[in-house]
Amino acid sequence: MEYLSAHNLSVGYKHKGNVYTVLSDLNISLERGCLVSLLGANGAGKSTLLRTITGVQEPLAGNVMLSDASLNTLSQLERSRIIGIVTTDRIMAGGLTVTELVSLGRQPHTGFWGRLSRSDKDRVREAMHDAGIEHKANCFVSQLSDGERQKAMIAKSLAQRTPIIILDEPTAFLDVASRFETMRLLHDLAHKHNKAVLLSSHDISLSLLLSDQLWIIDSQRQFIAGCTEDLILNGSLSRMFNSDALTFSSEMGDFEMRLPTNRAVSLECSSTALKRCITNALMRNGIAVSADAAVKVTATASNSNYTVSVGNLRFNTIEELIKTLKNNQ
């Protein structure tokens, strides 16, 4: 079910009478039950696009629709009942408990005085449970880790009971475990709670793993949208960055560095993981892998043990291989 859509949308900003267009003629849609990651380099226009489709910033042209209503015809209160927004801004709420912070998400539904009914309090508890932060309900926000604070902000958005949740860099500043937990939570919210979830991110690996769709702004500021796996296989990811040092591997499903090399070896390997590690170590030391190279490296793996051979020489570590190859340049 399509819930947010944009038609012939152009986004940008105006400054001293001049109009600066960042993205133009966008026709996009966001469906419930779907997690979408917005990817692109710094300055590509991700935040500008998010601000525009949430009504924070006026579009330069075109229209944004929320279900069957035009965004510009809705009041702020009506918008807040449809879209929940989570930003990376440091929240100045250290003196509030987690429950008090999450309760603020009920404001669009509580009327002028903001008094919580029993039903509102139930929604707050459910939101903390779904975000995995209920065990910190009575803690002050100032006592939370970055990951816990992000969960509390997502819980606040859940308490709004909006069909759409939009997040700007929700995994920024989080450690590896917290990034994974946050992305898995957003995936569950889309799939299990039938939310339309859109996030901007630089965490490409996790986005490729858990996103149903990608919105990509490439190095030429062209907009590409589609199923994650289709965009991986058709080469769209390789257009994201304008850099000779970076290439996207559809086989590995991730970006890889290109470092200058001055010699090459061929490599035969019985394990994909071992091949990747050896290739990376070789490249880091200026050695490329080429099928027709004269020097042949062979590697075999058995459980956690492996051996690497060059001619009659055998090594039990990649470190020994690299040292030998460097000493025989």
Side-chain angles (χ1 to χ4, degrees):
M1 174 185 175
E2 182 181 283
Y3 210 88
L4 182 150
S5 60
H7 307 279
N8 302 318
L9 183 69
S10 293
V11 304
Y13 54 95
K14 299 176 182 178
H15 181 66
K16 294 182 178 180
N18 296 315
V19 177
Y20 299 90
T21 301
V22 176
L23 298 166
S24 60
D25 298 322
L26 303 182
N27 291 282
I28 51 182
S29 62
L30 182 64
E31 298 180 355
R32 297 186 71 165
C34 188
L35 173 62
V36 179
S37 286
L38 172 61
L39 307 178
N42 285 335
K46 299 188 300 296
S47 294
T48 303
L49 176 57
L50 293 186
R51 286 196 299 268
T52 304
I53 64 176
T54 55
V56 175
Q57 183 172 321
E58 289 288 330
L60 299 181
N63 192 27
V64 177
M65 301 291 294
L66 297 177
S67 189
D68 56 355
S70 178
L71 179 66
N72 60 17
T73 66
L74 301 176
S75 67
Q76 186 60 47
L77 178 61
E78 290 171 323
R79 293 176 187 177
S80 66
R81 290 176 176 172
I82 300 174
I83 303 177
I85 303 173
V86 180
T87 70
T88 54
D89 298 335
R90 288 283 183 176
I91 54 172
M92 306 301 292
L96 297 179
T97 66
V98 171
T99 298
E100 290 168 338
L101 173 65
V102 176
S103 296
L104 295 177
R106 296 302 299 164
Q107 281 187 337
H109 308 278
T110 55
F112 179 79
W113 297 108
R115 292 173 180 164
L116 298 182
S117 66
R118 179 174 295 180
S119 176
D120 290 318
K121 293 177 181 178
D122 289 340
R123 299 288 183 269
V124 170
R125 284 191 292 269
E126 289 170 9
M128 290 190 292
H129 171 77
D130 290 341
I133 197 66
E134 60 183 337
H135 62 293
K136 295 286 185 176
N138 297 319
C139 293
F140 289 105
V141 174
S142 59
Q143 298 173 313
L144 302 181
S145 68
D146 286 342
E148 290 168 341
R149 188 177 290 111
Q150 190 66 286
K151 286 182 179 180
M153 292 302 296
I154 292 173
K156 174 178 172 289
S157 181
L158 286 178
Q160 284 182 243
R161 287 294 179 103
T162 59
I164 302 172
I165 300 176
I166 295 180
L167 310 96
D168 192 5
E169 294 284 353
T171 59
F173 315 117
L174 302 184
D175 60 34
V176 173
S178 296
R179 290 202 303 268
F180 181 82
E181 288 178 2
T182 299
M183 285 294 291
R184 186 174 63 179
L185 167 62
L186 297 175
H187 173 272
D188 289 347
L189 293 178
H191 284 250
K192 296 180 181 179
H193 296 265
N194 199 34
K195 304 282 188 181
V197 182
L198 169 64
L199 64 109
S200 65
S201 179
H202 287 295
D203 199 333
I204 295 172
S205 296
L206 274 178
S207 293
L208 297 186
L209 179 65
L210 292 172
S211 302
D212 300 294
Q213 293 186 1
L214 301 179
W215 290 1
I216 298 173
I217 304 173
D218 72 10
S219 59
Q220 304 301 313
R221 283 192 173 163
Q222 298 299 307
F223 187 86
I224 309 163
C227 170
T228 298
E229 286 70 30
D230 288 334
L231 297 188
I232 288 174
L233 294 173
N234 69 17
S236 295
L237 272 296
S238 63
R239 296 165 51 186
M240 192 183 308
F241 299 106
N242 184 20
S243 172
D244 293 333
L246 201 63
T247 182
F248 185 81
S249 169
S250 57
E251 180 181 354
M252 296 298 181
D254 207 347
F255 281 92
E256 296 183 326
M257 284 290 295
R258 281 181 178 168
L259 296 176
T261 57
N262 51 30
R263 56 187 299 215
V265 300
S266 67
L267 176 61
E268 293 183 3
C269 197
S270 64
S271 161
T272 301
L274 182 57
K275 181 179 180 180
R276 183 175 176 83
C277 287
I278 294 175
T279 300
N280 189 64
L282 290 168
M283 180 189 64
R284 192 171 60 243
N285 287 277
I287 305 171
V289 173
S290 174
D292 56 0
V295 177
K296 299 187 182 300
V297 176
T298 304
T300 58
S302 176
N303 297 324
S304 60
N305 299 315
Y306 57 88
T307 58
V308 186
S309 303
V310 180
N312 295 324
L313 300 176
R314 284 183 165 289
F315 311 103
N316 292 318
T317 67
I318 297 174
E319 182 180 15
E320 292 174 324
L321 167 69
I322 297 299
K323 285 182 177 179
T324 299
L325 290 175
K326 291 177 72 174
N327 289 335
N328 288 278
Q329 291 189 61

